[in-house]
Amino acid sequence: MSTVPDIATLRAYQPRPDLLNDRVILVTGATGGLGRAAALSFAAHGATVILHGRNRRKLETLNDEILAAGHPAPALALIDLEKAQAPAYFDLRDQLASQYGRLDGLLHNAGLLGGLMPIEHHPVDLWHRVMHVNLTVPFVLTQVLYTQLQASPDASVVFTGSGVGRRGRAFWGAYAASKAGVENLVQTLADEADGQGTLRVNCLNPGRTRTPMRNKAYPAEDPATLPDPDSLMGPYLFLIGPDSRGINGASLDCQ
Ligand code: NDP
């Protein structure tokens, strides 16, 4: 395994402008705070980005923004992760295979906070919804797309972690448990991928970031005190791109 960079090195990472040229990368939750920044940044560095979201209008707006900037034309994947059944994922796999014949990167970014409450009062149905979107869907998507990822000469799968996934905290209920599951799933996948080819699987924790989810979790916080998603894109570009080759099974922090 290559050396895992520390936070300061990751934050100082300077990607080449053409870092992701000719790569096809799927970003889930591309219409949200961090996902949107990642999709724009990947496209700006040459990737053809598959924009996933559940809201057609938001997806089309992002698509137009990427085209207007002169970046490679994206594709849209409209899937509500809470409602989707198996055929939606197989359709996505087939669309990628027929349209591009390759998949070089997968950023599991979509996430659901659920709500902050003690376990004693945590609704069971909310628990299921959060675990489904945050943990089961990344498992399913990775499984469905695994063959395509393995076929890439240099594929990277990046899961999105959280501080509460490393150590649980009062009131973070299903969200914290789902993110702990993500860390563990990354370890399992990375171990399975080890020595099997070039596919690597890692986890990235953005840390406190100015997004709608953070605002929901901390409504009294002044957003101006938080880092903007764009300022964290160095670590995302590093992990999804060729410079992280050889790093597998790591759990990294952006801040
Ligand atoms: P946002 O709420 O801004 O974005 C979440 C994204 O997930 C949105 O695009 C949202 O779609 C999408 N999403 C949620 N539910 C579904 C669904 N059922 N179907 C399809 N898409 C869905 O959150 P952030 O940008 O803050 O979070 C991105 C990731 O970073 C998450 O995994 C989060 O857990 C993690 N994270 C964030 C931190 C922070 O401080 N912001 C800290 C640590 C981790 P839509 O746009 O339609 O709402």
Side-chain angles (χ1 to χ4, degrees):
M1 190 200 231
S2 300
T3 310
V4 179
D6 60 20
I7 295 175
T9 310
L10 254 191
R11 289 299 299 276
Y13 174 65
Q14 295 286 338
R16 302 189 309 275
D18 63 349
L19 182 80
L20 303 177
N21 269 13
D22 301 325
R23 290 179 187 237
V24 177
I25 300 174
L26 170 61
V27 176
T28 71
T31 54
L34 281 152
R36 190 172 182 287
L40 283 163
S41 179
F42 294 172
H45 286 82
T48 297
V49 184
I50 316 303
L51 306 169
H52 160 265
R54 61 180 161 185
N55 180 309
R56 184 182 295 279
R57 186 185 50 77
K58 284 194 206 175
L59 278 177
E60 287 175 349
T61 302
L62 179 56
N63 179 63
D64 292 348
E65 200 172 325
I66 289 172
L67 289 177
H71 305 321
L76 308 187
L78 183 68
I79 303 175
D80 185 327
L81 302 176
E82 283 195 54
K83 299 180 185 148
Q85 301 294 320
Y89 298 103
F90 292 132
D91 285 352
L92 173 60
R93 177 198 62 191
D94 296 346
Q95 179 199 346
L96 285 170
S98 64
Q99 210 169 331
Y100 303 104
R102 63 186 298 161
L103 182 63
D104 309 290
L106 170 53
L107 173 61
H108 291 298
N109 164 82
L112 185 61
L113 176 68
L116 299 184
M117 64 200 78
I119 290 294
E120 187 186 1
H121 301 302
H122 203 303
V124 174
D125 65 329
L126 183 62
W127 180 277
H128 283 303
R129 288 174 54 209
V130 172
M131 294 301 278
H132 185 76
V133 172
N134 294 0
L135 180 58
T136 305
V137 165
F139 148 68
V140 169
L141 256 184
T142 307
Q143 185 186 64
V144 166
L145 300 174
Y146 200 78
T147 304
Q148 285 178 34
L149 288 161
Q150 266 190 319
S152 162
D154 185 37
S156 173
V157 181
V158 180
F159 285 75
T160 307
S162 166
V164 294
R166 306 245 182 82
R167 176 157 186 82
R169 194 182 306 155
F171 313 131
W172 284 79
Y175 180 86
S178 71
K179 292 297 186 179
V182 162
E183 298 274 351
N184 192 277
L185 176 59
V186 166
Q187 291 160 10
T188 300
L189 277 166
D191 208 26
E192 290 174 2
D194 192 33
Q196 297 296 311
T198 56
L199 175 65
R200 54 192 177 280
V201 184
N202 294 290
C203 191
L204 186 59
N205 168 25
R208 51 200 285 278
T209 314
R210 192 190 315 155
T211 69
M213 183 188 285
R214 176 76 190 188
N215 186 247
K216 189 177 171 201
Y218 296 91
E221 187 176 58
D222 177 2
T225 62
L226 299 170
D228 183 69
D230 291 335
S231 70
L232 304 178
M233 287 304 118
Y236 280 80
L237 287 161
F238 173 80
L239 265 191
I240 208 75
D243 292 326
S244 60
R245 206 173 281 152
I247 296 177
N248 184 40
S251 184
L252 301 177
D253 293 290
C254 286
Q255 310 182 49

